[in-house]
Amino acid sequence: MKKFTQRSTTLLLAAGMGLAAATAWSAETLQDVMKRRGLSQQDLLAASKTYVPTGKRDDFIAFSSGGQSGQVIVYGIPSMRILKYIGVFTPEPWQGYGFDEESKAVLAQGRIDGKDITWGDTHHPGMSETNGEADGQFLFINDKANPRVAVLDLRDFETKQIVVNPIYKSEHGGTFVTPNTEYVFEAAQYASPLENKKFYPLEEFNEKYRGGMTYWKFDRKEGRIDPKKSFSVELPPYSQDLSDAGKGPSDGWSFTNSFCSERYVGGIEKGRPPYEAGCSAKDTDYLHVINWKKAAELVAAGKAKKINGHDVLMMETSIKEGILFLIPEPKSPHGVDVTPDGTKLVVAGKLDTHVSVYSFEKIMAQIKAGKFESKDPYGIPVLSMKDTLHTQVSLGLGPLHTQFDSKTCVAYTSLYVDSQVAKWDYCEGKVLDKISVHYNIGHLMTMEGDTAKPAGRYLVALNKLSIDRFNPVGPLHPQNHQLIDISNDKMQLIYDMPLPLGEPHYVVAIDAKKLKPAVRYKLGTNSRTDQPHPAAVRAGEEHTDKKGNKVEVFGSLIRSHITPETIEVDVGDEVTIHLTNLERAQDETHGFTVSTYNVHASVEPGKTVTVKFKADKEGVYPYYCTEFCSALHLEMQGYLLVKPKGWKASKTTLAAGTYTEAEYKANVKKVADTQVIIDSVVAYITSVNYKDFPDVVAMVDDAFDQLGKTKGLKEKHEAFAAKKDWENATLWAEQIWQYQVKTADLGLRAKTYLEQNGAKKVK
Ligand code: RUQ
Ligand code: CUA
């Protein structure tokens, strides 16, 4: 401890006086490095396109599905540096997600039939849009296995809500948003009876099993889905797959693919060929075309039927009201993607070498003229494929998904079997370029490529297999996200990123400038509800209540101190600990845990978090801060004392330390020396235009906040010294220094910031 103290004083002195260690630059040249590492010119070019120097930031932020982890992965483009994993459908310890009461309440919304589901098969993230453009406010993501949708707020990158689909048993084609995020929608995948827990044998598949499209109403002001205003459209058991929302001229409509419209069931155990044969026997499946705007009006007019308490527009009604149509599409398609101008939709064939481009105008003309080539077995009008197609283009084997460029008419389609990306022109119907990827690409993604205004520049290939691309880590391989530069005529592969968390089906990216995340919460916020936390406290308001066997602690956290530092309870008590992080400083997160009680909280500046447990084991349980928040982070500690039944104290005083006058004097000198540094830093900061730098203003406020806490302590240690109580005198002097260190730390950070960002002398 002593040693550390001396060293940090020296460090502070060194930094305060602007001393820096001498840096010896390597004498190696670029050519030397290329030779030593076996790099080509091409490699260097790729490196220079992705390298983001220290202190600089990425241009785009990507939100990737975390696949089976049930999380969202955030990374930067072009550096491909991972910035965050966000807990969504599954507990995530770092963020205390699932370990504190506020986040447990969010996860509890995702329970199905009263049971916790602690995994998720996350597939498709979708960003909120305003006028068809990505607005950086919210992110949505679905769970295919357990049909759920989550809402994340991009002000704090936290999961705020989980809704369970009331009528499906699985869903894949979600989440997609309408151009003003009026609705977030998802399509059922594997057909099943819509009524909860109803059993029908497979022999009644055609009659009793159903698919559907669910339109979740999003309340942007609340930042939540409103299940009461949401509805579904009942569909035949055709395995509805990926979908997209119309935009521009096609706004108000949604488009959904399907596979296995053969309605084949049974397989081997029923003495029939397997699903894969039965589900791809016919040449075509159905593209579902739905007028969701009109569907919403019909639901509002009371034309829906309640199933499991949820409004469902039955097929009969949809047919009668003319809001549901089918168009044949080449068999077993995968993605359907609406072009940025909303005039066309691209359907990828999967088992066909073609992508089919449908014209929205032609679709509408056929519907208006009532020209249907047939009806499906449920009576849904079927439009002619020939009469609605704009063009078909042969791209290669296994086309899956399509994304768009900022350049008009330019699209990119993933070719799963060929392991390639095809760049092509969907207006003229011709291939422009192809590039190999590694390997077996599923989705692909361009910057804001789902929106009315794609940003171009980069494309990410989400490859299902990585095989030999990375250092081997056992039979389970990471996925491979490959970054491709699309700013020129020829595509160039520039980076391989292993993604080690589940199979990330899809990812979306947004211009980093559109994101405006907060750095702190308003003091005392429950971040999961965005409301003031009823158990929040300000400094000095901390207290503990005990009623019967319930102990409730209203505490706080600030460098480097947990209030309270001792919690005494009786065995069997129910303990609730609320903690408010009183910090204002950026990045001053404190964590909190109690030994062996399986609780953890991440408490960012301003946040209030609650942990709860039953103190069912007598004994001594240290609690501490789990984030290395300050030089005295390890000392940010306390004890939970769980007393046995009928326990009586025998001693009532704590052991005294041994301190001398010399130690006291040394501490007083240390305080005086540190004050000199603080004064010099303050003199520098106030000599420049620091008020023009909001980040610095926040740091300076925080620094003075810390320094303000020394008030009255000088009188205190001097009074103890007068009584020759060297322990109290020394420790209170030390406490002044603790506040000074935090002040100086902030002041030096502010000074460095100002020096590096061109602050100018005032006066
Ligand atoms: S899927 S590889 Cu789950 Cu989006 Cu197409
Ligand atoms: Cu607070 Cu470590």
Side-chain angles (χ1 to χ4, degrees):
M1 185 60 234
K2 258 274 167 50
K3 234 189 216 142
F4 174 75
T5 301
Q6 278 163 359
R7 214 184 43 164
S8 43
T9 317
T10 325
L11 279 177
L12 281 173
L13 281 165
M17 291 166 183
L19 300 179
T23 0
W25 284 102
S26 149
E28 246 181 339
T29 66
L30 194 55
Q31 273 68 28
D32 293 338
V33 177
M34 284 173 73
K35 206 167 146 212
R36 178 162 60 78
R37 301 198 60 219
L39 301 174
S40 66
Q41 284 286 348
Q42 196 64 8
D43 294 333
L44 241 60
L45 191 62
S48 67
K49 286 184 179 189
T50 58
Y51 179 63
V52 175
T54 177
K56 295 257 161 56
R57 295 180 186 178
D58 280 298
D59 296 336
F60 294 93
I61 299 299
F63 297 90
S64 174
S65 149
Q68 296 91 331
S69 76
Q71 301 180 358
V72 162
I73 306 164
V74 185
Y75 63 78
I77 292 176
S79 77
M80 308 300 268
R81 294 180 295 191
I82 292 178
L83 301 169
K84 198 172 217 174
Y85 294 110
I86 307 174
V88 182
F89 295 109
T90 53
E92 196 292 307
W94 173 42
Q95 291 148 65
Y97 192 63
F99 301 88
D100 68 46
E101 294 303 306
E102 291 74 15
S103 60
K104 276 186 194 167
V106 176
L107 282 167
Q109 297 167 13
R111 294 176 131 213
I112 297 181
D113 300 330
K115 278 209 194 104
D116 281 330
I117 296 187
T118 53
W119 91 287
D121 189 13
T122 50
H123 271 245
H124 306 107
M127 283 184 296
S128 59
E129 293 179 8
T130 301
N131 299 323
E133 291 182 36
D135 58 30
Q137 292 181 10
F138 297 94
L139 186 83
F140 309 94
I141 190 159
N142 70 318
D143 170 6
K144 170 174 167 169
N146 323 289
R148 305 184 287 182
V149 167
V151 180
L152 282 73
D153 192 325
L154 297 179
R155 281 176 305 177
D156 61 358
F157 287 49
E158 281 199 354
T159 303
K160 304 289 179 174
Q161 184 186 25
I162 297 175
V163 290
V164 177
N165 193 294
I167 56 170
Y168 302 156
K169 296 293 180 291
S170 65
E171 53 92 355
H172 180 238
T175 53
F176 300 95
V177 300
T178 55
N180 280 301
T181 326
E182 299 96 332
Y183 289 92
V184 179
F185 55 84
E186 55 174 351
Q189 181 120 80
Y190 305 112
S192 45
L194 301 183
E195 300 92 344
N196 257 337
K197 286 176 254 169
K198 260 276 164 77
F199 173 79
Y200 294 107
L202 287 174
E203 285 72 13
E204 292 177 48
F205 188 84
N206 293 354
E207 299 77 35
K208 301 294 190 190
Y209 288 52
R210 288 291 177 266
M213 272 301 289
T214 298
Y215 300 86
W216 290 107
K217 178 81 187 125
F218 186 62
D219 182 336
R220 195 189 281 263
K221 224 179 102 237
E222 293 295 318
R224 301 292 185 275
I225 282 170
D226 185 348
K228 283 203 207 69
K229 293 195 181 136
S230 305
F231 67 93
S232 296
V233 173
E234 180 203 30
L235 295 175
Y238 292 160
S239 300
Q240 283 77 31
D241 197 34
L242 287 165
S243 310
D244 204 359
K247 43 173 96 84
S250 54
D251 184 17
W253 292 77
S254 70
F255 310 95
T256 301
N257 276 332
S258 61
F259 61 89
C260 205
S261 58
E262 290 87 350
R263 297 179 292 166
Y264 183 77
V265 282
I268 303 280
E269 290 72 23
K270 298 266 174 191
R272 312 174 87 192
Y275 275 98
E276 49 188 316
C279 279
S280 59
K282 295 227 174 102
D283 277 347
T284 54
D285 282 295
Y286 286 125
L287 173 66
H288 300 61
V289 178
I290 302 174
N291 185 339
W292 64 257
K293 260 195 190 150
K294 191 125 180 253
E297 287 167 18
L298 295 172
V299 172
K303 303 237 163 139
K305 181 180 157 188
K306 288 265 185 220
I307 301 182
N308 309 329
H310 171 74
D311 280 322
V312 183
L313 214 51
M314 304 309 281
M315 277 195 281
E316 214 191 329
T317 316
S318 300
I319 295 166
K320 200 172 85 208
E321 301 284 348
I323 63 150
L324 170 63
F325 307 92
L326 299 171
I327 312 177
E329 51 185 0
K331 71 173 167 189
S332 300
H334 197 36
V336 49
D337 297 278
V338 177
T339 57
D341 65 1
T343 62
K344 299 177 186 64
L345 20 146
V346 179
V347 172
K350 199 160 87 184
L351 292 185
D352 188 67
T353 59
H354 291 90
V355 281
S356 305
V357 185
Y358 290 85
S359 154
F360 181 72
E361 203 185 313
K362 287 186 181 176
I363 295 173
M364 285 303 111
Q366 298 291 312
I367 292 175
K368 272 219 186 85
K371 272 183 74 186
F372 308 117
E373 66 174 23
S374 63
K375 280 183 177 169
D376 86 333
Y378 300 91
I380 305 172
V382 179
L383 282 71
S384 135
M385 173 155 129
K386 192 173 94 278
D387 293 340
T388 51
L389 272 180
H390 164 70
T391 183
Q392 280 187 312
V393 191
S394 178
L395 293 183
L397 297 180
L400 289 188
H401 294 281
T402 299
Q403 286 273 290
F404 302 97
D405 202 334
S406 51
K407 299 166 197 139
T408 41
C409 296
V410 176
Y412 301 85
T413 298
S414 52
L415 304 174
Y416 179 82
V417 179
D418 278 345
S419 291
Q420 285 190 317
V421 171
K423 174 180 180 177
W424 58 289
D425 181 318
Y426 59 83
C427 302
E428 302 286 320
K430 60 174 190 229
V431 177
L432 303 171
D433 187 26
K434 278 193 189 183
I435 191 169
S436 291
V437 292
H438 313 87
Y439 302 90
N440 297 88
I441 177 174
H443 276 272
L444 76 182
M445 181 270 293
T446 55
M447 306 301 100
E448 301 185 9
D450 286 328
T451 71
K453 235 194 187 163
R457 293 178 58 188
Y458 301 105
L459 180 148
V460 176
L462 285 74
N463 306 310
K464 300 291 184 194
L465 307 184
S466 62
I467 308 184
D468 53 5
R469 305 304 281 191
F470 305 112
N471 297 64
V473 288
L476 180 62
H477 290 45
Q479 297 255 320
N480 186 8
H481 281 200
Q482 286 183 307
L483 185 67
I484 295 170
D485 179 356
I486 55 167
S487 47
N488 303 303
D489 290 343
K490 297 271 324 151
M491 293 179 277
Q492 189 198 357
L493 177 58
I494 53 177
Y495 198 78
D496 278 28
M497 174 176 68
L499 218 63
L501 199 78
E503 185 200 324
H505 294 263
Y506 188 43
V507 51
V508 288
I510 184 169
D511 187 332
K513 288 194 290 295
K514 290 189 182 174
L515 294 172
K516 306 239 161 11
V519 297
R520 65 181 71 82
Y521 292 99
K522 192 161 178 240
L523 190 77
T525 300
N526 173 346
S527 68
R528 301 293 169 177
T529 60
D530 306 322
Q531 299 297 317
H533 198 298
V537 291
R538 299 180 169 280
E541 293 174 357
E542 299 90 348
H543 61 284
T544 299
D545 294 347
K546 177 153 181 158
K547 278 192 210 102
N549 66 341
K550 288 190 170 53
V551 177
E552 195 168 2
V553 177
F554 300 79
S556 70
L557 304 165
I558 192 159
R559 273 159 295 166
S560 314
H561 190 81
I562 302 172
T563 305
E565 295 179 290
T566 316
I567 303 173
E568 290 190 45
V569 305
D570 298 306
V571 68
D573 282 354
E574 274 174 37
V575 182
T576 305
I577 305 173
H578 310 286
L579 293 165
T580 300
N581 183 343
L582 301 174
E583 307 276 359
R584 306 290 305 142
Q586 188 164 348
D587 203 12
E588 277 302 338
T589 295
H590 301 289
F592 180 79
T593 189
V594 182
S595 168
T596 71
Y597 276 102
N598 199 36
V599 289
H600 182 241
S602 171
V603 201
E604 296 89 56
K607 205 190 225 185
T608 300
V609 178
T610 303
V611 296
K612 214 172 182 172
F613 55 91
K614 191 169 177 190
D616 51 4
K617 310 169 284 183
E618 64 185 52
V620 171
Y621 303 93
Y623 52 82
Y624 67 95
C625 167
T626 62
E627 286 270 338
F628 209 110
C629 53
S630 53
L632 290 182
H633 149 77
L634 296 178
E635 290 79 351
M636 200 164 167
Q637 61 169 42
Y639 280 103
L640 167 73
L641 304 167
V642 183
K643 297 179 287 190
K645 285 230 153 49
W647 186 83
K648 288 249 153 30
S650 57
K651 259 189 177 180
T652 51
T653 49
L654 297 167
T658 50
Y659 291 89
T660 61
E661 183 173 8
E663 278 169 308
Y664 169 64
K665 287 204 165 135
N667 266 1
V668 172
K669 177 161 187 313
K670 187 170 75 178
V671 166
D673 289 348
T674 307
Q675 195 56 45
V676 173
I677 298 169
I678 293 174
D679 292 344
S680 79
V681 174
V682 170
Y684 167 79
I685 292 173
T686 51
S687 75
V688 299
N689 59 334
Y690 80 95
K691 288 195 175 135
D692 296 340
F693 300 85
D695 285 340
V696 171
V697 172
M699 282 188 245
V700 169
D701 283 353
D702 192 38
F704 280 114
D705 206 39
Q706 290 289 338
L707 200 60
K709 293 184 198 301
T710 61
K711 228 180 130 208
L713 296 186
K714 185 166 185 280
E715 293 72 17
K716 214 165 179 167
H717 72 70
E718 284 172 354
F720 280 114
K723 287 189 279 179
K724 297 198 189 309
D725 177 344
W726 302 123
E727 174 172 16
N728 273 309
T730 308
L731 296 185
W732 283 115
E734 172 71 19
Q735 186 57 41
I736 296 182
W737 189 71
Q738 289 305 333
Y739 290 128
Q740 283 181 321
V741 169
K742 291 164 209 159
T743 308
D745 175 46
L746 283 157
L748 292 171
R749 241 192 283 165
K751 181 170 177 253
T752 310
Y753 185 103
L754 290 167
E755 285 166 352
Q756 288 175 353
N757 288 279
K760 290 194 190 62
K761 286 263 168 222
V762 287
K763 76 193 145 172

